[in-house]
Amino acid sequence: MASDEGLAVEAVNEALADAPPDTSARIRRVQVGEVSGNYVTLAVVGVARRDAETGAVEWTDGGPW
């Protein structure tokens, strides 16, 4: 959970840097559901994965902004 997309990108980059190859992560824009109180996804705004060959974090959809 991050208050802005820049912080979310940093967190994903750091997490994937130490993750096994082909691990992926998504950054989602969410809101709290009025009735359930659970997070409701409004949109996936970024998808990243750690490349199996190079180990680099690659943004394959959206982000970094």
Side-chain angles (χ1 to χ4, degrees):
M1 175 78 90
S3 57
D4 73 33
E5 291 171 349
L7 292 174
V9 168
E10 283 182 35
V12 167
N13 285 334
E14 288 178 18
L16 289 179
D18 295 327
D22 286 328
T23 300
S24 65
R26 288 170 173 65
I27 296 176
R28 302 176 300 145
R29 185 167 292 120
V30 299
Q31 72 180 27
V32 177
E34 292 181 25
V35 176
S36 68
N38 296 327
Y39 290 112
V40 176
T41 299
L42 301 177
V44 174
V45 295
V47 179
R49 65 181 270 287
R50 184 163 186 221
D51 185 75
E53 291 183 28
T54 66
V57 175
E58 298 178 342
W59 287 88
T60 58
D61 187 27
W65 298 271

